[in-house]
């Protein structure tokens, strides 16, 4: 992406202009520059009639190219827009802000906001939010329609903490620090493209005294990536090397190589050991 590159807005993509929650809920997380970029896109959205250069944004918002890229990344991560790259131009697709209820039901978003403004401030923002179960009625039961009409919304990536904690209770596991661990668990699930259950399996395998250890989870994933770089035979040698005293391991390896010489591949290991 360069200042002279062109972009346009996706057609038929008008979103709500109500930006109260942008300031109340999103700004502390994404920062002023990203908020300014989102407001810019709302103000200049033209249903895709015209192409602009990114330089127009830079000039209007008085920001640099790196700040612009970071702002696009933050808005994309929070599901407020998507930037598509074509052969010769870019395209911006906007998404509406979550309502306050939707935002606070999102475990990760809520925790990110708590880290920025504090738990007490978040609780104050949540005052007056709906409580209990909604007395919802299906459209087909109220109006004379054959099928229920569903409103399709862009799914906000979240971590299913409810089911994760339910599984923990069944197997007597607990968090060291639930609020901090949540963000790390979400990051692992997102990076590995895992479900909550796949993430839970690793958490259970690496737990210490029934306490989930995010540090050990990351270490095991890092070790797995390292192991994938080696052949099966090399992984066997590495595991053996880690389990034995260095001199004992080398002595055993030399004996093994001697028995298999003069194989050319073994000769390499013998040369290395000699």
């Amino acid at each position: 992406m360069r200042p002279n590159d062109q972009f346009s807005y996706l057609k038929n993509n008008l979103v709500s202009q109500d930006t109260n929650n942008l300031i109340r809920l999103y700004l502390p997380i994404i920062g002023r520059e990203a908020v300014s970029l989102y407001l810019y896109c709302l103000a200049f959205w033209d249903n895709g009639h015209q192409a602009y250069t990114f330089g127009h944004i830079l000039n209007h918002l008085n920001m640099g190219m790196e700040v612009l890229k970071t702002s696009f990344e933050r808005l994309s991560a929070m599901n407020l827009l998507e930037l598509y790259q074509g052969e010769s131009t870019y395209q911006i697709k906007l998404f509406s802000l979550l309502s306050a209820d939707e935002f606070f039901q999102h475990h990760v978003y809520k925790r990110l906001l708590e880290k920025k403004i504090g738990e007490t401030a978040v609780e104050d923002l949540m005052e007056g939010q709906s409580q209990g179960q909604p007395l919802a009625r299906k459209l087909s039961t109220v109006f004379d329609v054959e099928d229920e009409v569903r409103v399709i919304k862009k799914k906000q990536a979240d971590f299913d903490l409810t089911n994760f904690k339910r599984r923990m209770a069944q197997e007597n596991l607990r968090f060291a620090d639930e609020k901090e661990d949540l963000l790390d668990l979400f990051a692992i699930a997102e990076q590995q493209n895992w479900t909550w259950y796949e993430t839970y399996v690793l958490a259970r395998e690496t737990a210490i005294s029934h306490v989930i250890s995010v540090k050990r989870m990351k270490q095991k994933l890092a070790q797995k990536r390292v192991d994938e770089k080696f052949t099966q035979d090399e992984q066997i040698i590495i595991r053996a090397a880690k389990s034995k005293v260095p001199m004992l391991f080398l002595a055993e390896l030399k004996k093994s190589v001697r028995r298999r010489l003069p194989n050319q591949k073994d000769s390499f290991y013998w040369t290395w050991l000699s």
Side-chain angles (χ1 to χ4, degrees):
M1 182 193 301
R2 296 168 298 183
N4 290 332
D5 288 341
Q6 292 188 325
F7 72 92
S8 61
Y9 297 98
L10 186 69
K11 293 182 179 180
N12 302 318
N13 181 223
L14 180 63
V15 300
S16 171
Q17 299 287 321
D18 184 359
T19 57
N20 288 339
N21 285 339
L22 181 65
I23 306 301
R24 297 172 68 248
L25 308 178
Y26 287 87
L27 186 148
I29 299 173
I30 63 178
R32 289 174 294 179
E33 292 84 1
V35 165
S36 296
L37 177 58
Y38 187 78
L39 291 173
Y40 171 95
C41 291
L42 291 181
F44 283 92
W45 183 84
D46 64 354
N47 204 25
H49 289 313
Q50 185 177 344
Y52 305 88
T53 66
F54 288 113
H56 187 274
I57 302 178
L58 301 177
N59 180 65
H60 196 85
L61 299 183
N62 191 27
M63 64 173 56
M65 198 64 200
E66 290 304 315
V67 174
L68 178 63
K69 291 179 181 179
T70 300
S71 297
F72 270 123
E73 291 172 356
R74 292 182 176 182
L75 291 173
S76 177
M78 294 294 291
N79 294 302
L80 292 177
L81 64 70
E82 285 181 354
L83 183 64
Y84 297 91
Q85 183 176 7
E87 294 183 1
S88 58
T89 186
Y90 291 79
Q91 196 171 48
I92 294 176
K93 180 179 181 180
L94 297 172
F95 296 102
S96 297
L97 302 167
L98 293 179
S99 68
D101 278 336
E102 293 169 331
F103 187 95
F104 289 122
Q105 288 171 12
H106 194 291
H107 298 104
V108 176
Y109 288 1
K110 180 184 176 185
R111 180 54 189 151
L112 287 173
L113 186 59
E114 287 174 342
K115 287 178 69 69
K116 292 295 184 179
I117 66 175
E119 296 180 21
T120 301
V122 169
E123 289 175 0
D124 290 340
L125 288 173
M126 292 178 63
E127 288 184 358
Q129 300 300 318
S130 58
Q131 303 292 326
Q133 297 296 322
L135 300 177
R137 297 294 303 275
K138 293 184 177 180
L139 182 66
S140 58
T141 64
V142 178
F143 299 99
D144 187 18
V145 294
E146 294 183 0
D147 299 313
E148 179 185 356
V149 178
R150 299 182 183 274
V151 178
I152 300 176
K153 294 187 63 176
K154 178 177 171 64
K155 180 175 176 57
Q156 307 293 314
D158 193 8
F159 188 80
D160 192 346
L161 185 62
T162 301
N163 280 323
F164 192 94
K165 291 173 68 174
R166 183 177 294 120
R167 193 75 182 192
M168 286 176 60
Q170 292 173 354
E171 303 194 40
N172 296 318
L173 295 179
R174 64 183 188 278
F175 287 112
D177 184 337
E178 178 179 333
K179 293 184 180 298
E180 291 301 319
D181 290 346
L182 168 61
L183 297 182
D184 287 326
L185 290 170
F186 173 75
I188 290 173
E190 187 177 52
Q191 292 164 8
Q192 300 296 319
N193 195 27
W194 281 354
T195 64
W196 70 268
Y197 182 73
E198 290 171 301
T199 311
Y200 174 79
V201 170
L202 179 61
R204 181 184 60 197
E205 291 175 352
T206 54
I208 304 174
S209 300
H210 295 283
V211 178
I212 288 177
S213 172
V214 176
K215 180 178 179 180
R216 281 170 60 88
M217 292 175 69
K218 293 178 179 178
Q219 289 173 344
K220 185 163 185 177
L221 287 173
Q223 183 59 49
K224 180 181 178 182
R225 287 192 291 269
V226 171
D227 290 343
E228 289 173 350
K229 298 178 182 179
F230 297 98
T231 66
Q232 185 175 356
D233 289 341
E234 289 169 336
Q235 290 181 35
I236 292 174
I237 294 173
I238 292 171
R239 286 196 294 270
K242 290 181 178 179
S243 64
K244 298 179 182 295
V245 176
M247 293 306 296
L248 177 60
F249 167 72
L250 290 174
E252 291 182 357
L253 188 58
K254 284 185 179 182
K255 291 179 182 179
S256 176
V257 172
R258 282 198 190 98
R259 287 196 296 269
R260 288 182 293 175
L261 284 174
N263 180 282
Q264 185 175 2
K265 181 178 179 181
D266 289 336
S267 297
F268 168 78
Y269 288 108
W270 174 249
T271 301
W272 175 72
L273 290 167
S274 301

